[in-house]
Amino acid sequence: MRRELGPGLDDPRWPGPVRLVELTAQNALAVHQLLALGREYSGGQVADYATWLNAFETDPEFDQALCFVVEDALGVVAVAQCWTSAFIRNLVVHPRAHRQGLGLALLNQLFAVFRQRGEGYVDLKVMESNLGARRLYERAGMQYIQRHELEPR
């Protein structure tokens, strides 16, 4: 799916008492745990913690500034990890915060950041079976640009 970053981007509307924070050494484990939880619910891949964390130092696609972390009173509640190539690698909202508008606010935040970086669009891949995510991305203005058949496992 793809979202063009031209005119008409919405400002993020953060629901309730949440705050956007940086990825830090203090919250990195909680961020990774939420990414792993997302994998359980909707598929995808997340490397083990050490490999994932090390990639911020060794992989040019990883940039801490493109790991958008949202916290509430209980801790990390949402994360969107993007690559420098304007690709959303993972987006996960904790089940305790589903259906509150947090995913849409997070998408609008990262769209604004990529637009400020001079990108023309943001891409992602989503499984056909992940209906909740597909509905979210459609609400955020993302459009299907290509479909692929999965190879049997």
Side-chain angles (χ1 to χ4, degrees):
M1 296 185 81
R2 174 170 286 173
R3 172 66 154 102
E4 301 288 336
L5 300 178
L9 289 180
D10 293 331
D11 291 329
R13 292 187 183 162
W14 298 104
V18 298
R19 66 185 189 281
L20 189 64
V21 299
E22 294 180 12
L23 175 67
T24 65
Q26 290 74 32
N27 66 14
L29 181 59
V31 167
H32 185 267
Q33 289 171 337
L34 184 55
L35 291 171
L37 179 66
R39 181 186 63 210
E40 290 177 26
Y41 280 94
S42 60
Q45 296 178 346
V46 179
D48 66 87
Y49 179 66
T51 303
W52 174 80
L53 193 59
N54 186 52
F56 285 100
E57 300 294 327
T58 61
D59 188 330
E61 282 278 25
F62 279 60
D63 181 345
Q64 280 186 247
L66 297 177
C67 190
F68 301 87
V69 180
V70 181
E71 293 182 348
D72 66 5
L74 299 176
V76 175
V77 70
V79 61
Q81 183 179 356
C82 302
W83 283 341
T84 57
S85 56
F87 185 85
I88 302 169
R89 176 67 179 102
N90 291 297
L91 188 147
V92 181
V93 175
H94 195 283
R96 73 174 182 261
H98 282 182
R99 299 191 179 278
Q100 296 177 19
L102 195 49
L104 186 58
L106 195 50
L107 284 167
N108 287 327
Q109 177 68 34
L110 68 89
F111 293 154
V113 168
F114 277 113
R115 185 175 185 189
Q116 289 171 351
R117 288 176 161 236
E119 299 292 344
Y121 55 86
V122 172
D123 288 335
L124 61 76
K125 292 181 182 179
V126 62
M127 300 290 291
E128 289 274 341
S129 61
N130 193 343
L131 297 177
R134 288 177 44 210
R135 281 189 223 112
L136 168 65
Y137 300 141
E138 289 166 1
R139 278 195 315 272
M142 299 193 84
Q143 298 179 349
Y144 297 94
I145 57 171
Q146 192 172 32
R147 288 200 161 110
H148 295 279
E149 292 284 328
L150 291 178
E151 293 185 23
R153 291 183 184 201

